[in-house]
Amino acid sequence: MAVTYELIKVCKQSGARLGRVHTPHGVIETPAFMPVGTQATVKTMSPEELKEMDAHIILSNTYHLWLRPGHDLIRNAGGLHKFMNWDRPILTDSGGFQVFSLSNMRKITEEGVEFRSHLNGDRLFLSPEKAMEIQNSLGSDIMMAFDECPPYPAEYEYIKNSLERTTRWAERCLKAHARPQDQGLFAIVQGGMHADLRKQSAADLTSMDFPGYAIGGLSVGEPKHLMYEVLEETIPLLPTGKPRYLMGVGSPDALLEGAIRGVDMFDCVLPTRIARNGTTMTSGGRVNIRNAKYAEDLGPLDPDCGCYTCRNYSRAYLRHLIKADETFGIRLTTYHNLHFLLEMMRGVRQAIMEDRLLDFRDEFFTQYGLHDNDKGF
Ligand SMILES: [Zn+2]
């Protein structure tokens, strides 16, 4: 099998898992946060910088790379790793989420989804088979099954029909997957906020023996306490010997709460997206560097952070660059935010090793100034 999971230890205090995901391009220490590189680049970061902050894996988006520059070109370039000069693991999504969130005029049938490109309006068709063909061409270490992520809120009947179709699509993905020997295909458990539907989806998908399972359909606008409830109901239904990936989650509080509930992998555009407007995550909480109070602040962005940005530049300088729309300012805030989350996950893994993840969470929240888990990041 191309992708395997090794459980190292369960935290006695929290139940969180310390593990390793083995892939053809190396090992991912889990729980892990995956920076997002939508267009075959983590915006403004070079692969060398991502390695410097020790990102073990990045995520890339099938939909975007299919539309531009095209998966044939990337396959001919030697695959996505070679094309973007990244030799560590890559996870690609199925393209489904973008079809549902970016394009208008989409029509869902049993066969797949017809939609118009958000770039030029071209009529396109994405199906389980097509999603596999594209991801096989990209050559990612972990591929995702083609699914529908229903909006929140949605009618019970709609979610039930959608998840049953997603299960049939997962079966078709498994059949169409041409490179199971060097690419691991993960299935996605859906079912909205309904425990019985999550149970149905998990039972059907785990009977098909995928090398990993994702929990989809969360972090779609529901209150966080509801997301945690669904996780508590869903995670125990998944096999302990396979990795569990919570899609689209990247705020520090949700990473901690997810890990405590047994999640191994996370991804989110949050740290890179907010960095571009000057919002940073620091050990003392959220800092928007555009704020006037930092105009003459010559101290580092985060005195507790050892990253390149915090070692070399002041808040006043960062504020100046961001306000002047200088690319270097975006690079520096992006670097810090990614480093901050990756460092936090190193802390999470250490705390699991020491059986003290609940203490770690409480200490982190106190310092971060976060007392209500339904509040932002
Ligand atoms: Zn920093």
Side-chain angles (χ1 to χ4, degrees), residues 325-343:
D325 285 328
E326 285 292 338
T327 312
F328 190 47
I330 295 172
R331 281 173 40 68
L332 291 174
T333 51
T334 300
Y335 192 108
H336 166 81
N337 277 358
L338 287 176
H339 183 278
F340 179 80
L341 283 188
L342 293 168
E343 185 67 26

Side-chain angles (χ1 to χ4, degrees), residues 163-229:
L163 87 84
E164 286 169 358
R165 188 169 50 223
T166 285
T167 298
R168 292 190 294 276
W169 284 355
E171 211 168 351
R172 280 165 58 189
C173 285
L174 212 48
K175 279 201 190 101
H177 182 14
R179 297 173 58 181
Q181 70 288 354
D182 63 347
Q183 292 182 276
L185 172 63
F186 285 18
I188 304 173
V189 175
Q190 290 287 353
M193 309 301 151
H194 305 284
D196 60 327
L197 296 183
R198 289 278 167 185
K199 201 170 176 179
Q200 180 185 345
S201 176
D204 292 346
L205 293 172
T206 52
S207 73
M208 282 187 260
D209 198 27
F210 289 87
Y213 290 90
I215 300 112
L218 291 179
S219 194
V220 288
E222 78 283 8
K224 278 189 179 164
H225 70 86
L226 197 51
M227 172 167 89
Y228 300 143
E229 278 172 38

